[in-house]
């Protein structure tokens, strides 16, 4: 019997990003299952990133969608979605490193 | 008392990426705690992504480090690290969507 390998934290994280994207991209029956429509993007933001989106001006999410949609097709593909996650992670990391003293733990 | 909010899958994923980066960036006492040295990068790859790195030619990780190090300072900062994670996620997602029939679940 094949030995079951427990995924590492990084592997779980990669799996999560794919699973979350597929979950929201697969919501609308009329839209491609491999891209996020505007409605699917808003659903993702209001559910997965509610603590961020609930304090934003209503136009902010519209502008975010337009900025993330690099090929201007009105959809977010997986790479465009990763740019969003990466941008948020970068902002959180910058806030974290500003708060922490610059020394080895 | 403040209500404890359970993080969403996306929030946990962002937290994990920051935590993993900080864990490996903080390994070498002689190196900045906010960047991965070559040794710290190899430690990360051999531990967190062993299933990927163990089957690679020894020169592959050297070339990956050079390709990821966009500013050529011999270190990987958090953005350069995110490019690695994003690239791997993109490759996994591409393999996943190739295997799956293109239909709504």
């Amino acid at each position: 019997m094949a030995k079951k390998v427990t995924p590492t934290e990084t592997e779980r994280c990669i799996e999560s990003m794919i699973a979350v994207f597929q979950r929201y991209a697969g919501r609308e029956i009329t839209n491609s299952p491999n891209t996020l429509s505007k409605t699917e993007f808003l659903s993702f933001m209001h559910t997965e990133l509610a603590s961020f989106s609930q304090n934003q001006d209503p136009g902010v999410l519209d502008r975010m969608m337009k900025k993330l949609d690099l090929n201007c097709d009105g959809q977010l593909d997986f790479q465009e979605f990763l740019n969003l996650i990466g941008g948020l992670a970068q902002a959180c990391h910058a806030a974290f490193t500003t708060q922490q003293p610059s020394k080895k733990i």
Side-chain angles (χ1 to χ4, degrees), chain A residues 6-75:
Chain A
T6 308
T8 65
E9 191 169 0
T10 303
E11 288 167 342
R12 275 202 306 275
C13 185
I14 290 172
E15 283 173 2
S16 280
M17 285 191 286
I18 295 171
V20 168
F21 178 79
Q22 291 298 127
R23 191 181 311 144
Y24 287 88
R27 289 256 164 124
E28 285 190 310
I29 202 83
T30 53
N31 192 58
S32 162
N34 294 319
T35 58
L36 293 175
S37 67
K38 176 79 174 284
T39 307
E40 289 168 336
F41 167 72
L42 292 176
S43 176
F44 164 78
M45 291 300 292
H46 290 309
T47 312
E48 287 286 321
L49 296 170
S51 57
F52 169 81
S53 60
Q54 72 190 358
N55 299 317
Q56 303 297 328
D57 185 86
V60 167
L61 296 185
D62 288 349
R63 290 196 292 277
M64 278 181 74
M65 172 88 188
K66 280 188 186 139
K67 199 164 179 180
L68 289 165
D69 181 15
L70 296 177
N71 63 353
C72 302
D73 65 351
Q75 304 279 324

Side-chain angles (χ1 to χ4, degrees), chain A residues 66-86:
Chain A
K66 280 188 186 139
K67 199 164 179 180
L68 289 165
D69 181 15
L70 296 177
N71 63 353
C72 302
D73 65 351
Q75 304 279 324
L76 297 185
D77 61 24
F78 188 58
Q79 182 57 60
E80 291 165 340
F81 172 78
L82 287 178
N83 293 342
L84 164 65
I85 304 297

